[in-house]
Amino acid sequence: THCTRTVMALVGAQVLDLDIDPAVEVQGDLSNLPVEQQWKIQHEKLHIKHRGHEAMHAEMVLILLATLVVAQIVLVQWKQRHCRSYNLVTLLQMWVVPLYFTVKLYWWRFLSTWGMFSVITSYIIFRATRKPLSGRTPRLVYKWFLLIYKLSYAVGIVGYLAIMCTLFGFNLFFKVKTEDSMDFGVILLFYGLYYGVMGRDFAEICSDYMASTIGFYRVGGMPTRALAEDLCAVCGQKIFVDVNEEGIIENTYQLSCGHIFHEFCIRGWCIVGKKQTCPYCNEKVDLKRMLHNPWERTHVLYGQLLDWLRYLVAWQPVIIGVVQGINYSLGLE
């Protein structure tokens, strides 16, 4: 065929060490070629296009590194001086940036999960911000975000294992293509990390608002109501299980400060809502005494990983956009 003759002519020219530009010589329909051959031809075109631009490429790399350093300093200072506005803007970035790329690249699968998550979370936030606050709302809120937290953790682990199995070639035992296995792992890992970050941020907003509405806790101030001995300071509901008793559904936890809470409430307060203090007296919570199961300590480490990855997901596209704008203004391509 014509495409086969074209490829053979290109290979023959390379063997004879002739300086032939594939962009000029290859006139056939590349779509009929194998994927590997198309990639090789496109890669050669890229090399020819950027040949002799080494100095410009070095300048672009320096601009990228300098922008990353400056952006990191600015973000750290912003978070230290105005933490609330930083968290709100970051959450907005986390919500909008993936949506932009999803619509642009036609990732309808992610858009469907993003839509379901947004609708349910919007309803949960609506319930958490109502006054007066229903007695069932705090537990509903913590159950939802704890479910998101556990699902994102599990999905992220499965995605990571799929990537590692692909790198070690285990996918070949199941006759799964390397491309399909790697795509599967990367997608699951992204889903787990993204929804894990979003769930934690929304959980913190809801936990602050609900605790302030209930009246036992107020951000930056003293509690506005006295705490009875048989009430949970997070949800305001009565505690029926003694600290030393084994509960059927959940146990009762007592912090080092002496205040007692429903197990589900205090776990949601500390782990999902990222709170490290007692909801009533603001004394620091000893997570090591609470989390006796070593696997649950992994959840805390996973939460710290999500905090670190928030910078990559929310701010990295913005930084790259700034770098591209600088390169364009300087005439660098």
Side-chain angles (χ1 to χ4, degrees):
T1 62
H2 176 69
C3 293
T4 304
R5 292 195 300 269
T6 302
V7 174
M8 293 178 64
L10 177 60
V11 174
Q14 292 177 348
V15 172
L16 296 176
D17 197 20
L18 298 177
D19 189 13
I20 296 180
D21 186 345
V24 177
E25 294 297 326
V26 179
Q27 302 293 338
D29 186 8
L30 297 181
S31 62
N32 295 328
L33 298 178
V35 178
E36 294 79 5
Q37 191 63 40
Q38 295 182 29
W39 184 86
K40 290 180 180 179
I41 294 176
Q42 295 295 335
H43 189 67
E44 184 65 24
K45 290 180 180 180
L46 185 64
H47 274 285
I48 294 175
K49 179 180 179 181
H50 293 280
R51 186 177 299 167
H53 300 164
E54 289 77 9
M56 183 178 64
H57 293 164
E59 185 178 355
M60 295 173 67
V61 171
L62 292 177
I63 293 175
L64 175 61
L65 295 177
T67 305
L68 289 174
V69 173
V70 173
Q72 183 67 23
I73 295 175
V74 171
L75 291 176
V76 170
Q77 292 297 321
W78 182 12
K79 185 176 181 180
Q80 291 178 350
R81 298 175 184 272
H82 307 282
C83 184
R84 186 175 182 85
S85 62
Y86 171 83
N87 291 334
L88 290 177
V89 174
T90 302
L91 182 59
L92 180 62
Q93 289 285 106
M94 289 289 299
W95 187 72
V96 173
V97 171
L99 178 62
Y100 168 77
F101 288 104
T102 297
V103 176
K104 183 178 181 180
L105 301 176
Y106 305 105
W107 292 344
W108 306 122
R109 181 169 47 192
F110 175 80
L111 184 61
S112 60
T113 58
W114 180 91
M116 290 187 295
F117 173 82
S118 300
V119 170
I120 299 176
T121 303
S122 298
Y123 171 75
I124 295 296
I125 294 176
F126 173 80
R127 289 285 300 270
T129 54
R130 296 304 93 192
K131 290 184 179 181
L133 189 68
S134 173
R136 297 181 178 181
T137 299
R139 300 182 67 81
L140 172 65
V141 172
Y142 286 124
K143 284 182 180 180
W144 166 246
F145 286 116
L146 190 59
L147 175 64
I148 292 296
Y149 188 73
K150 290 183 177 180
L151 286 178
S152 65
Y153 181 79
V155 170
I157 291 297
V158 173
Y160 173 77
L161 292 178
I163 293 175
M164 297 305 297
C165 289
T166 304
L167 294 177
F168 286 102
F170 293 141
N171 59 295
L172 301 179
F173 291 101
F174 302 97
K175 297 181 180 180
V176 179
K177 294 182 179 179
T178 302
E179 297 82 1
D180 296 338
S181 179
M182 183 62 71
D183 290 344
F184 176 76
V186 170
I187 290 174
L188 288 185
L189 183 61
F190 172 76
Y191 277 30
L193 294 176
Y194 175 76
Y195 290 112
V197 172
M198 293 291 289
R200 282 172 62 86
D201 287 347
F202 280 119
E204 182 176 18
I205 294 175
C206 290
S207 63
D208 281 341
Y209 199 95
M210 286 190 307
S212 299
T213 303
I214 292 173
F216 294 118
Y217 169 81
R218 185 174 59 195
V219 179
M222 295 296 293
T224 57
R225 290 171 55 189
L227 177 64
E229 295 182 357
D230 58 347
L231 292 183
C232 173
V234 176
C235 67
Q237 299 298 307
K238 188 177 181 62
I239 295 178
F240 297 98
V241 180
D242 190 71
V243 176
N244 300 322
E245 295 180 359
E246 186 73 19
I248 298 177
I249 299 178
E250 63 178 347
N251 298 324
T252 300
Y253 270 49
Q254 185 175 23
L255 304 184
S256 55
C257 58
H259 297 117
I260 58 176
F261 306 89
H262 294 121
E263 176 185 5
F264 209 79
C265 293
I266 195 61
R267 285 183 181 274
W269 175 269
C270 296
I271 300 177
V272 181
K274 298 186 293 185
K275 299 300 179 184
Q276 306 297 324
T277 58
C278 172
Y280 183 74
C281 64
N282 286 338
E283 181 174 326
K284 185 174 179 59
V285 176
D286 188 0
L287 288 178
K288 294 182 180 180
R289 291 187 57 188
M290 287 184 54
L291 307 181
H292 300 293
N293 189 341
W295 289 101
E296 294 180 349
R297 291 194 180 96
T298 308
H299 294 171
V300 180
L301 297 177
Y302 181 69
Q304 295 174 353
L305 175 63
L306 295 184
D307 290 337
W308 179 76
L309 288 174
R310 183 181 291 106
Y311 164 79
L312 297 179
V313 177
W315 295 107
Q316 199 70 10
V318 177
I319 296 174
I320 297 300
V322 172
V323 172
Q324 291 181 347
I326 295 175
N327 292 335
Y328 179 80
S329 62
L330 298 178
L332 304 175
E333 297 182 0

